[in-house]
Each structure stands twice: as C-alpha cells, then as structure tokens.
Amino acid sequence: MKVERLKKWEYALICENEMGEDKLEAFIRGADGKLLGIRDKKTYRIDLSDIFYIESVDKKTFIYTEKEVFETGKRLYELENELHLPFLRISKSAILNIDKIHSLHADLGGRIMCTLDNQEHISISRQYAQRFKAILRGEENV
C-alpha cells in the first residue's frame, strides 16, 4: 500500500493487492488508532495501545484494557480484519495485543499460556500457536 500526495490536503491511497472496499474503508477509519467501546451506557474511544486483548463470549465482543472491560458492537472477525500487528488472532474467540505479553510458557496439548503485563493469563490455542511463534521469531509478516 502506498500513499501519494496530490495537493496540499489531498492524498491518494494505492493498494497493490486486492483489498476490498470495505476492508480499505475500515483500514482508513481505524487509522486514528482508537476503537469504540461501551461501558455503563457510555461510549468511549479506546487507544489501541491500551488494549490487552479482545474476546468474544456468548455472541458479544469485549475489549479488555489493564483494568477495564468495554463491549463493542463489532464482531471478532471484523476487528481481526481492521487490526494489524501488534494484534494477532490467538484462538477462535480472542485477539491478543502481543505488546502486552509479560511472559510465555508451553501448556498441555500444544497450547501456549501467556501472562500479560497486568498479570492476567490467556491461552493461545494449538491451532494458532505455530503462526504465533513464527511471527514472534520474525519469520512471518501479517
């Protein structure tokens, strides 16, 4: 993807691969580095850097920060398409901000257990573990 300046306040975004218009629009809308989350009937703008992980539970999607939990109207797959590294899908129901990992250790059945900076624990499923390891080693780009 390239950005070219046309005039003083005019830019062109050029995609070299087939990115659907909806994905491109989501990318542009998410460029401010914030997600909307709801808590106590109020809507908040949450900095991406404050997000530890995002989880889907009972058809609802929740955003977890260090000490707070927000609900979002977006589905997990929509957020996965909008977010890029350091966010990485780690299970069918969760996306993790890998910048918030404090430590890792192998768990039973090929899973990886993460301890986050806030001392919370989250598991990377066996299905996503190999890709996770490759990205941490810098062998794969997202």
Side-chain angles (χ1 to χ4, degrees):
M1 189 177 310
K2 292 187 280 185
V3 177
E4 291 183 8
R5 188 175 189 149
L6 303 176
K7 293 181 182 174
K8 186 173 182 177
W9 298 104
E10 192 173 302
Y11 295 88
L13 186 61
I14 301 161
C15 294
E16 296 172 352
N17 60 2
E18 287 195 33
M19 181 184 279
E21 284 183 38
D22 56 334
K23 282 187 178 181
L24 183 58
E25 185 180 337
F27 177 79
I28 292 168
R29 275 190 281 115
D32 71 343
K34 300 198 187 282
L35 284 180
L36 295 180
I38 300 166
R39 191 188 67 209
D40 300 328
K41 298 181 182 179
K42 293 181 184 176
T43 301
Y44 297 86
R45 294 181 64 217
I46 306 160
D47 284 325
L48 295 181
S49 62
D50 291 338
I51 297 172
F52 277 63
Y53 64 97
I54 302 167
E55 185 176 40
S56 180
V57 179
D58 295 330
K59 297 185 180 182
K60 293 183 180 181
T61 306
F62 298 95
I63 300 169
Y64 295 82
T65 63
E66 185 172 8
K67 295 180 181 175
E68 299 174 305
V69 180
F70 301 89
E71 188 174 347
T72 179
K74 294 188 178 190
R75 303 283 231 195
L76 204 61
Y77 73 87
E78 293 173 315
L79 292 168
E80 182 182 19
N81 288 334
E82 288 179 29
L83 298 171
H84 304 287
L85 278 179
F87 291 92
L88 189 60
R89 186 78 174 247
I90 60 164
S91 70
K92 287 183 179 181
S93 62
I95 296 171
L96 175 65
N97 180 347
I98 62 175
D99 286 346
K100 300 297 185 182
I101 296 173
H102 181 268
S103 64
L104 301 166
H105 74 272
D107 203 11
L108 297 174
R111 294 179 305 176
I112 301 169
M113 185 58 71
C114 295
T115 302
L116 304 179
D117 290 340
N118 63 355
Q119 299 307 307
E120 214 172 318
H121 300 280
I122 191 164
S123 180
I124 299 171
S125 73
R126 187 172 42 116
Q127 178 182 355
Y128 293 87
Q130 291 302 332
R131 182 166 185 254
F132 176 80
K133 289 177 192 175
I135 288 171
L136 285 185
R137 288 190 299 259
E139 297 172 359
E140 183 178 332
N141 292 326
V142 176

